Amino acid sequence: MADASDAEIRPFRIAVPDEDLDDLRQRLARTRWPDELPGVGWSRGVPLGHLKELAAYWADGFDWRAQEARLNQFPQYTTVIDGQPIHFLHVRSPETDALPLVVTHGYPGSVAEFTEIVGPLTDPRAHGGDPADAFHLVAPSLPGFGFSTPVVGAGWGNLFRVAAAFGQVMDRLGYDRYGTQGGDIGAGVAGMLAMAGPGEVTAVHLNGPVPGFPFGPPIELDGLSEADQVRARRFNQFQDDGLGYLHLQATRPQTLAYAVNDSPVAQLAWIVEKFGEWTDPAAELPEDAVDRDLLLANVSLYWFTGSGASAANFLYEGMQAFREFVAQAAAGGQDHAAPGPVTGVAVFAADNSIRSLLEPTANIVHWSEYDRGGHFAAMETPDLLVEDVRAFFRKRR
């Protein structure tokens, strides 16, 4: 029987021990660097020179305490659901009639992604916006990510289970009507929250949902607009040579866990590669698209919490559940009717979203396309994401 105290919501503050900071610097200093073939650039992963420079800054220039203090400016809490610790930011708006909004990160992200959007979303009046657009913001850490650790058992990679847990968080906070927003894994959670809590979710806003199953067939170009053909080709290329990280985590997560849990450079490279590939195409380096300190704050959360390993297992379980869903759908065992809540989608420059392929599974009433930004919209183009969220929910409060 669950302890009644598990339902409590407890205040939380990030406080990484000094010895963990010392250990990180010592491990970085002892890195045994590999050789690199000349002239390969980013084609085989993160270039040696780039990673050496970034690791050196992480060891001697990056100020974790400043990033920790920045995150601790936001009220944080933990609660326990089905035995699993769930960490979340909960920032109430000064506007009493603000709409509650659940914002969910993806992979390889964390709640550190949201530091630039919390203020404008919760207090638009103080950021040059309309107070009528205000939100009470709840930003949970996915189970196995950041401070939603340790993972107490198998099964937390199932997105419906995650969505149900986040719905319980909202119930415990006293919110019975709210919107949802998410990208990547968070897009799946945002949509499933509407199924987990029918009647509670007013609308769903997504950034960069993918148009198909990563391991499925390539997208056919016939009938697509010129812009959608560009996205389709990019998605097909991603299927051809961009899924190495997912194949490994979806099949042998424990093998990867030893590397990312023991070597900070392994964890750094594993995440920076995705920032290199998924950020704005106009950015030459990840740090040209995302502030370097914010990027390293995100990597540091994985390192200090050991969540690179549990995040890999999350993706393993998520892909198993997704494969089962696809198989059942192909056999006629799943209903493809569009969900009740209306959906808004923001497509940034690096995204591969195609409306005609997404509409059969979502009741899309709002579609925006931007010529900058990418997968990590809250970090890359917070101004665009904030305004799109505001515009979408303006008629759905």
Side-chain angles (χ1 to χ4, degrees):
M1 175 181 268
D3 190 328
S5 65
D6 283 355
E8 293 180 6
I9 292 177
R10 301 175 178 85
F12 179 87
R13 283 183 65 81
I14 303 171
V16 173
D18 287 339
E19 51 265 36
D20 287 1
L21 295 174
D22 293 339
D23 176 70
L24 170 61
R25 296 187 187 100
Q26 291 164 10
R27 288 172 183 265
L28 288 169
R30 294 197 307 268
T31 300
R32 192 175 82 163
W33 295 98
D35 292 331
E36 179 183 57
L37 293 174
V40 297
W42 285 81
S43 65
R44 304 191 183 196
V46 185
L48 178 62
H50 179 76
L51 200 67
K52 277 188 171 182
E53 181 181 351
L54 195 56
Y57 179 74
W58 195 13
D60 298 323
F62 174 70
D63 186 348
W64 165 254
R65 291 300 182 205
Q67 296 300 318
E68 185 179 72
R70 187 183 188 197
L71 286 166
N72 280 334
Q73 290 177 359
F74 307 120
Q76 299 173 61
Y77 304 88
T78 61
T79 192
V80 177
I81 295 173
D82 194 16
Q84 176 60 40
I86 302 292
H87 162 264
F88 57 97
L89 312 183
H90 180 209
V91 186
R92 286 190 60 85
S93 172
E95 310 297 336
T96 57
D97 59 348
L99 176 69
L101 180 69
V102 183
V103 179
T104 306
H105 68 84
Y107 179 84
S110 67
V111 294
E113 290 184 48
F114 304 133
T115 55
E116 293 296 322
I117 67 172
V118 172
L121 287 177
T122 59
D123 193 2
R125 188 193 302 269
H127 292 81
D130 185 344
D133 289 330
F135 297 93
H136 300 308
L137 199 69
V138 179
S141 297
L142 291 166
F145 291 69
F147 296 102
S148 287
T149 48
V151 179
V152 296
W156 279 104
N158 184 308
L159 296 194
F160 190 83
R161 186 181 188 188
V162 174
F166 289 0
Q168 286 190 55
V169 170
M170 297 303 282
D171 289 343
R172 292 179 185 183
L173 292 172
Y175 296 133
D176 58 9
R177 183 178 180 275
Y178 50 90
T180 65
Q181 198 287 325
D184 189 76
I185 295 169
V189 174
M192 290 186 182
L193 263 162
M195 294 184 283
E200 296 185 353
V201 175
T202 64
V204 177
H205 184 278
L206 311 176
N207 60 281
V210 295
F213 184 58
F215 300 137
I219 297 173
E220 296 291 337
L221 303 185
D222 291 347
L224 297 180
S225 69
E226 184 176 342
D228 283 345
Q229 286 188 22
V230 171
R231 297 186 183 101
R233 290 191 183 96
R234 195 162 57 200
F235 179 79
N236 292 344
Q237 184 66 36
F238 166 69
Q239 286 187 312
D240 284 343
D241 65 10
L243 285 172
Y245 82 100
L246 189 55
H247 276 290
L248 182 54
Q249 293 181 118
T251 57
R252 299 294 185 271
Q254 190 62 31
T255 300
L256 172 67
Y258 301 113
V260 297
N261 199 66
D262 186 62
S263 166
V265 164
Q267 182 66 88
L268 179 65
W270 195 253
I271 291 178
V272 167
E273 179 193 296
K274 298 302 108 189
F275 276 79
E277 293 183 347
W278 295 348
T279 47
D280 192 323
E284 183 177 350
L285 297 173
E287 301 95 290
D288 296 333
V290 173
D291 176 80
R292 181 168 61 169
D293 287 331
L294 187 53
L295 171 59
L296 287 174
N298 180 65
V299 176
S300 296
L301 281 179
Y302 278 80
W303 175 254
F304 291 133
T305 61
S307 54
S310 49
N313 278 283
F314 181 101
L315 291 180
Y316 171 87
E317 294 181 355
M319 291 308 299
Q320 302 307 311
F322 196 17
R323 285 192 177 101
E324 182 178 349
F325 174 84
V326 171
Q328 290 178 353
Q334 294 288 343
D335 183 4
H336 280 269
V342 295
T343 301
V345 179
V347 183
F348 296 91
D351 291 335
N352 300 327
S353 304
I354 297 173
R355 183 167 186 167
S356 61
L357 300 182
L358 291 169
E359 281 184 319
T361 59
N363 182 15
I364 298 173
V365 299
H366 170 98
W367 185 273
S368 302
E369 297 182 8
Y370 298 100
D371 61 1
R372 57 190 176 97
H375 188 81
F376 306 94
M379 303 171 80
E380 297 180 67
T381 51
D383 56 332
L384 297 182
L385 180 60
V386 165
E387 187 48 47
D388 206 82
V389 170
R390 287 174 177 171
F392 172 64
F393 281 102
R394 211 162 273 152
K395 299 178 182 178
R396 297 164 183 93
R397 289 180 166 268

